Amino acid sequence: MLRADGLRHAFGPVRALDDVSFAVQPGQTLAVFGPNGAGKTTLLKVLAGLIQPQGGRAHVEGGRRAIGWIGHQPQLYGQLTVTENLRFWASLYGTQPSSELLARLGLEEHAHRPVRALSRGLVQRVAIARALVHDPRVLLLDEPFTGLDRIAAEALSHLLGEHAATGRATVLVTHNVEEGTELATDVAFMRNGRFVHFAPRSGRDARDIAAEYRNAVA
Amino acid sequence: MPLPEAVRHAWYVARKDLRVEVRARTGILSALAFVILVLLAFNFSRDPTAVPAIDLAPSILWVTLTFASMLALNRAFQLELENQAFDGLLLAPISRTSIYLGKLIANLIFVATIELLGVPLLALFFNVRILPFLGPLVATIALATIGFVAVGTLFSAMTVRTRFAELLLPVLLLPFMIPPLMWAAWATGPLLAGRPLSDIVGWLKMLAAYDIVFVGVALVLFPATVNE
Amino acid sequence: MKMIRVGRWITAIALVLLAGVYVRALVYTPVERSQGLAQKIFYLHVPAAIWAETAMVLVGLASIFYLFLKDPRLDRFAESSAEAGAVFAAVVLTTGPIWGKPIWGTWWSWDARLTLTLFLFLLYVGYLLLRGAVADPGARARYAAVLGICGMVLVPFVHLSVYMFRTLHPMPIVLKPSAPSLPPSMLATWLFSLLVFTLLYVGFVVQRYALSYLREQLEAATGGIGHA
């Protein structure tokens, strides 16, 4: 569903991606752990088509229409209501928001409030709704659990589980090993633009992975 | 007949921009306040006995519109910066051309609103008759505005993330605004003095040529300002 | 670095030859009948103006190729040509008034070449300011290329505007164009001067290009810290 072949990209002298290759099949969730500056965000941006890699190729089945992105920025317009935001983003994908999406994230009662009037936790949930509004087959997540409150984090985990269960692919990058491990089917460690470990999770739990990560990256 | 997808997407972007603008309201109000202030400044700084208003009106009109347009142009990409939503637009399956067109349309409507309010004010303050010449006047203003805004939308995409963005944009834009400003002013003068349309058609053709060239150039170059 | 040394030699030779131009112009070329001694500045003024404009066209062309090929050498060349062009434009803008004053009694006239060069100077200033305002080297090259192309496209429109302006407001011609009506001795001096300015352009660009390259290496080595 998603593959990368020999990706290379440098910002000046800094090698953000140094020959990265992998594939993610439907139903798989790849968690990429790495310290800041390892190139994780660059990898996601290349997969999403935001950056043209200087070397190698990335391919996502279905193109941009199939990609959903959750990152640091909420991608929401403060003056518009929740519904107006969702309708706008959905229109760019040629679709309309479904009412159950709001229900699943507990946003129904806030649907007609402007986003700038919402609390941070609510805004995060709206951001998740926005990313899912066009029913993407591939999810790209850049540190998605950062700063989420408990309700939002649970909702997100739940949604990601469903996403995988319906045969979709996810790539999740984070520097926090605890967060991503439960959901992952495959695990990779990234350092200086390279994958220094890439294997199925195979029953390892968060502590195992954390220990291996510390060894690999420290 | 269904519109080509690029135009439809552009319209969605423009509609969103305008909706945000209407809710925020600060943009249009500041622009209007600016126009009134400039008109007042011109009015109080001239000697009414020395120079009849009709001679000055074209210059005043065009200086005011030029500066008001420049102020308005910052808003298009400033909006995305403030809301941190620009990546979303780039991720969506819409062409970069649609993004530019959408911003262009929104900017044009925004500036047109300022002009719709400012031109009657000018006519009022300076006692200038515009109704008999309304058609050609609107055409002149429309053509010049398209020229300003086409280049301005392109440049504002670049300056929005720099320091001193509000200062850099006018500096970059001014050489590009002066030729259309000149032609429009030279058309407006004879127009308001009641000269025949044939006198000013030449200027309108120049404005149209400028618009076609620079909208084309901007459409081609815009992707370079947003792609990494 | 070898390139800087080559550039320095070229510039040095050009400057020596420039002195030669002065000597030839002042001593060996006859004085022009109607404008007198002040006409001599024409030997500096016109070649500089020609190169100010040519440099802009070269910036535009290099920018177009850069957007297709993404070769950083093209970007470095564009930057160097823009700086050289700015210098030549400044020369024209200072020598023009010096020439104008004794003949017409005013420092500035809206002479065709002078006005065009003023536009060019403003375009160069904008180009260099934009480059200075963008930190990321990739974005800087792309944005500069966009502006460079727009500047090149604007030049014909400025020519047109100036021509029309002077048609509407006929003014004394401060600059005698390089028409074939020049007697052979003057023509020879003028051509010599053009050659010298071509050499100067090459010398400046070579040195500036080498400097760009060195600066990029320095930024890469230090990670860009401590650079304003």
Side-chain angles (χ1 to χ4, degrees):
Chain A
M1 208 161 222
L2 182 166
R3 57 179 302 126
D5 282 314
L7 292 177
R8 279 174 218 283
H9 197 79
F11 295 109
V14 177
R15 292 231 202 93
L17 293 175
D18 191 2
D19 196 20
V20 174
S21 304
F22 63 92
V24 180
Q25 305 304 334
Q28 284 188 322
T29 300
L30 171 64
V32 180
F33 301 115
N36 289 326
K40 311 189 298 294
T41 305
T42 309
L43 175 63
L44 278 186
K45 285 191 171 177
V46 169
L47 290 172
L50 283 177
I51 296 182
Q52 290 302 315
Q54 287 158 357
R57 284 188 32 189
H59 176 71
V60 175
E61 208 177 291
R64 274 186 280 166
R65 215 213 151 284
I67 296 175
W69 172 288
I70 299 181
H72 304 290
Q73 299 172 340
Q75 317 281 348
L76 297 168
Y77 296 98
Q79 286 92 352
L80 302 184
T81 67
V82 173
T83 319
E84 282 169 343
N85 266 289
L86 292 180
R87 278 215 204 107
F88 168 65
W89 289 110
S91 74
L92 297 183
Y93 290 85
T95 178
Q96 293 192 333
S98 69
S99 45
E100 60 156 314
L101 185 64
L102 284 176
R104 297 258 295 284
L105 284 155
L107 294 168
E108 275 162 316
E109 55 191 89
H110 306 284
H112 298 294
R113 296 178 61 199
V115 167
R116 67 174 165 201
L118 299 179
S119 69
R120 203 168 125 82
L122 281 173
V123 171
Q124 286 155 354
R125 281 190 263 159
V126 180
I128 296 171
R130 189 209 72 84
L132 298 172
V133 76
H134 58 287
D135 200 26
R137 306 193 62 73
V138 173
L139 274 182
L140 301 176
L141 309 169
D142 189 358
E143 320 243 5
F145 291 98
T146 309
L148 285 192
D149 66 12
R150 203 178 42 83
I151 309 175
E154 275 173 20
L156 180 60
S157 294
H158 194 67
L159 277 164
L160 290 180
E162 280 182 12
H163 183 86
T166 52
R168 294 156 192 215
T170 306
V171 178
L172 161 91
V173 308
T174 178
H175 63 273
N176 184 339
V177 181
E178 275 77 51
E179 280 176 349
T181 312
E182 261 82 77
L183 300 158
T185 59
D186 296 72
V187 169
F189 300 152
M190 194 165 184
R191 192 177 64 165
N192 292 335
R194 303 185 130 254
F195 273 12
V196 295
H197 171 86
F198 176 46
R201 185 158 73 96
S202 321
R204 288 176 285 173
D205 70 6
R207 268 183 315 148
D208 303 330
I209 306 258
E212 283 181 51
Y213 174 67
R214 272 193 295 277
N215 288 337
V217 166
Chain B
M1 184 189 84
L3 286 173
E5 223 182 28
V7 178
R8 235 181 335 120
H9 289 153
W11 172 239
Y12 292 151
V13 173
R15 194 177 54 180
K16 177 265 298 175
D17 269 33
L18 291 170
R19 197 172 271 158
V20 172
E21 208 58 62
V22 163
R23 299 277 168 81
R25 265 189 294 271
T26 48
I28 193 79
L29 287 177
S30 332
L32 197 56
F34 176 80
V35 167
I36 296 178
L37 283 169
V38 171
L39 290 177
L40 286 176
F42 273 117
N43 188 46
F44 291 125
S45 60
R46 74 182 177 103
D47 177 358
T49 58
V51 187
I54 189 79
D55 289 344
L56 274 183
S59 310
I60 298 174
L61 173 69
W62 284 104
V63 170
T64 310
L65 291 185
T66 306
F67 283 99
S69 306
M70 272 202 299
L71 286 188
L73 284 166
N74 257 319
R75 55 138 239 107
F77 292 97
Q78 186 67 20
L79 168 70
E80 305 297 343
L81 200 68
E82 280 169 1
N83 286 293
Q84 302 181 309
F86 203 57
D87 274 353
L89 286 177
L90 294 176
L91 273 166
I94 62 175
S95 64
R96 308 300 188 236
T97 309
S98 295
I99 301 178
Y100 173 77
L101 272 178
K103 292 291 176 181
L104 177 65
I105 293 172
N107 274 341
L108 282 174
I109 294 180
F110 188 80
V111 176
T113 312
I114 300 175
E115 291 169 343
L116 266 170
L117 297 167
V119 174
L121 275 177
L122 175 113
L124 186 68
F125 286 177
F126 292 89
N127 214 2
V128 178
R129 290 173 63 229
I130 59 171
L131 279 173
F133 324 107
L134 204 55
L137 185 63
V138 167
T140 311
I141 295 180
L143 286 172
T145 306
I146 293 174
F148 293 167
V149 175
V151 181
T153 305
L154 176 68
F155 286 4
S156 66
M158 298 194 290
T159 60
V160 73
R161 262 166 302 202
T162 62
R163 277 172 52 189
F164 305 119
E166 286 94 14
L167 203 48
L168 188 60
L169 183 61
V171 170
L172 295 185
L173 212 44
L174 223 33
F176 294 87
M177 290 177 108
I178 294 178
L181 165 72
M182 277 168 42
W183 302 327
W186 289 338
T188 312
L191 182 65
L192 293 181
R195 300 288 267 282
L197 207 54
S198 53
D199 276 8
I200 67 166
V201 162
W203 303 125
L204 294 182
K205 282 198 207 151
M206 298 261 13
L207 284 169
Y210 187 89
D211 290 350
I212 293 172
V213 168
F214 274 100
V215 169
V217 167
L219 278 171
V220 169
L221 292 179
F222 180 76
T225 64
V226 294
N227 287 337
E228 273 182 74
Chain C
M1 206 207 132
K2 203 176 75 162
M3 206 174 186
I4 290 197
R5 229 178 315 131
V6 169
R8 282 209 194 117
W9 270 109
I10 298 181
T11 310
I13 294 174
L15 287 173
V16 166
L17 289 178
L18 188 65
V21 170
Y22 269 106
V23 168
R24 202 198 139 89
L26 288 172
V27 176
Y28 291 102
T29 312
V31 178
E32 212 258 353
R33 210 177 330 131
S34 53
Q35 299 179 36
L37 215 55
Q39 180 265 357
K40 305 246 177 197
I41 214 164
F42 152 87
Y43 298 113
L44 289 179
H45 188 116
V46 178
I50 290 178
W51 270 107
E53 184 164 357
T54 311
M56 174 58 82
V57 173
L58 289 173
V59 169
L61 290 174
S63 297
I64 294 178
F65 282 114
Y66 176 78
L67 287 181
F68 277 114
L69 300 173
K70 295 277 191 277
D71 188 341
R73 292 178 297 179
L74 288 166
D75 177 57
R76 265 178 248 140
F77 171 72
E79 182 185 19
S80 313
S81 188
E83 283 201 13
V87 167
F88 288 133
V91 165
V92 173
L93 293 174
T94 43
T95 57
I98 296 177
W99 193 6
K101 185 81 166 86
I103 302 180
W104 299 111
T106 55
W107 288 107
W108 184 263
S109 83
W110 292 102
D111 165 82
R113 186 159 273 138
L114 220 48
T115 310
L116 172 69
T117 311
L118 181 60
F119 261 94
L120 285 171
F121 185 69
L122 292 173
L123 284 172
Y124 284 130
V125 167
Y127 180 91
L128 295 169
L129 281 175
L130 180 64
R131 291 194 76 103
V134 179
D136 168 37
R140 179 167 60 216
R142 271 183 296 124
Y143 291 1
V146 167
L147 188 60
I149 296 172
C150 288
M152 183 181 72
V153 171
L154 185 69
V155 168
F157 283 105
V158 177
H159 271 290
L160 255 169
S161 302
V162 171
Y163 172 73
M164 289 170 162
F165 181 75
R166 295 185 55 78
T167 316
L168 280 185
H169 311 273
M171 262 172 214
I173 299 176
V174 177
L175 288 169
K176 267 261 179 248
S178 51
S181 58
L182 278 179
S185 56
M186 287 190 176
L187 187 62
T189 310
W190 189 85
L191 283 173
F192 181 39
S193 183
L194 185 62
L195 177 68
V196 168
F197 270 89
T198 308
L199 265 179
L200 266 179
Y201 173 80
V202 171
F204 286 165
V205 167
V206 167
Q207 286 191 290
R208 186 62 186 77
Y209 182 97
L211 261 175
S212 271
Y213 182 70
L214 284 177
R215 181 182 287 176
E216 271 169 41
Q217 305 241 288
L218 185 64
E219 271 183 3
T222 64
I225 311 167
H227 180 252

